[in-house]
Amino acid sequence: MKKVFVSLCMAATVAGLSSCASTKNAATLSSLSGEWNIIEINGSAVVPAPNQEFPFIGFDTKTGQVYGNSGCNRLMGSFDVNANPGQIDLGALGSTRMMCPDMTVEKNVLAALGQVKKYKRLGKENMALCASSNRPVIVLQKKEASAKLADLNGKWMISEAGGETIPSGMEKQPFIEFNIAEKTLHGTAGCNVINGSFNVDDANPVAISFPQVISTMMACPDMEVESRVLKALNSVQTFGKLAGGGIGFYDADNNLVMVLVKK
């Protein structure tokens, strides 16, 4: 369905927030601190493609660092913590350069962030990021807590590895089954059976790695899928929930290297 973009100013007027020039509901820099989901762009609700992360942005108001994900790639950059209250320039953010199957949300997010010059509170929970004209271009909603290790428990089919979709109808469809209590995993990479354990970090609830995964040594006519699965597993450093209920595994550069869907 084609998205229809409407002006957010109409909704803002209804709430008494016609623009970022208004003094009502003014926000301090500290109110931006933390992570926020990007829920609207130019008045249109953000709808991520299946198995792609919901775009979010995080602000460290002490150091002036910006980080996040624009729907496909990782965001990074900085802002001036000494700017006047209500003012923030996000026009110089950088990002990684991975390609995803659908880049629509990413393009809209990056285009809108490039216009941001101001911020303003919307009600009690949301925040508006505005262009220099005081027009709201992005609406932020406080991000819920990250995925928990317990979310991984059970059997998952591997739907993507190394940025490519796993073909359906394979004789041995790749999957991973986690036993969180014992910190072990079992599955198949497409040809061989895999078993092993995983490491976590108590200081980072979404950190995970698989340094001790072993596999049987059977040869199959086509080992390409298996190679991608094992290579992706070896690079995993963190995990997170994806739009639609899947789990994403990310490498050290926050690139999405594997997608799991519940069996």
Side-chain angles (χ1 to χ4, degrees), residues 158-168 170 172 174 189-192 218-233 257-258:
I158 302 173
S159 66
E160 293 182 23
E164 296 184 34
T165 300
I166 301 296
S168 59
M170 295 179 62
K172 296 181 179 180
C191 174
N192 285 281
M218 183 173 64
C220 295
D222 186 355
M223 301 291 287
E224 189 271 334
V225 169
E226 173 145 322
S227 295
R228 282 196 285 116
V229 168
L230 294 177
K231 182 179 179 180
L233 272 178
V257 295
M258 183 176 288

Side-chain angles (χ1 to χ4, degrees), residues 25-92:
N25 290 334
T28 60
L29 181 62
S30 62
S31 64
L32 270 179
S33 185
E35 296 183 350
W36 303 78
N37 282 325
I38 299 173
I39 62 170
E40 292 184 15
I41 300 175
N42 292 317
S44 180
V46 173
V47 182
N51 294 328
Q52 287 186 213
E53 186 171 356
F54 203 97
F56 77 93
I57 189 167
F59 300 94
D60 186 330
T61 56
K62 294 183 179 180
T63 65
Q65 296 300 304
V66 180
Y67 61 95
N69 189 291
S70 49
C72 174
N73 284 282
R74 182 167 56 96
L75 291 171
M76 72 288 291
S78 61
F79 61 94
D80 183 5
V81 297
N82 296 313
N84 292 330
Q87 296 187 358
I88 186 168
D89 190 337
L90 300 179

Side-chain angles (χ1 to χ4, degrees), residues 155-159 173-176 259-263:
K155 186 174 182 177
W156 300 81
M157 305 307 297
I158 302 173
S159 66
Q173 205 69 33
F175 77 90
I176 301 177
V259 173
L260 306 179
V261 294
K262 200 66 176 181
K263 171 62 175 177

Side-chain angles (χ1 to χ4, degrees), residues 84-257:
N84 292 330
Q87 296 187 358
I88 186 168
D89 190 337
L90 300 179
L93 297 183
S95 69
T96 53
R97 297 188 176 276
M98 183 175 68
M99 292 297 296
C100 291
D102 189 334
M103 301 292 285
T104 304
V105 169
E106 167 123 336
K107 291 177 180 178
N108 291 337
V109 167
L110 294 177
L113 285 174
Q115 302 176 52
V116 172
K117 302 296 181 183
K118 301 178 182 181
Y119 61 93
K120 183 176 184 63
R121 187 180 295 281
L122 290 180
K124 294 182 179 180
E125 298 182 356
N126 295 351
M127 194 77 68
L129 300 181
C130 301
S132 57
S133 63
N134 296 314
R135 176 178 62 88
V137 291
I138 288 176
V139 173
L140 304 177
Q141 184 179 69
K142 204 66 176 180
K143 194 174 186 291
E144 295 182 2
S146 301
K148 301 176 182 178
L149 185 62
D151 295 332
L152 289 176
N153 208 47
K155 186 174 182 177
W156 300 81
M157 305 307 297
I158 302 173
S159 66
E160 293 182 23
E164 296 184 34
T165 300
I166 301 296
S168 59
M170 295 179 62
E171 182 178 351
K172 296 181 179 180
Q173 205 69 33
F175 77 90
I176 301 177
E177 185 167 4
F178 294 97
N179 184 322
I180 300 304
E182 298 181 4
K183 292 187 177 179
T184 60
L185 65 91
H186 165 78
T188 176
C191 174
N192 285 281
V193 173
I194 56 175
N195 289 285
S197 59
F198 55 87
N199 292 343
V200 295
D201 183 352
D202 292 338
N204 182 357
V206 296
I208 192 168
S209 59
F210 306 97
Q212 300 177 42
V213 174
I214 60 175
S215 67
T216 54
M217 303 294 289
M218 183 173 64
C220 295
D222 186 355
M223 301 291 287
E224 189 271 334
V225 169
E226 173 145 322
S227 295
R228 282 196 285 116
V229 168
L230 294 177
K231 182 179 179 180
L233 272 178
N234 287 334
S235 69
V236 171
Q237 295 294 314
T238 58
F239 69 97
K241 290 183 178 179
L242 299 173
I247 293 289
F249 282 148
Y250 301 86
D251 65 14
D253 294 322
N254 206 34
N255 296 314
L256 181 66
V257 295

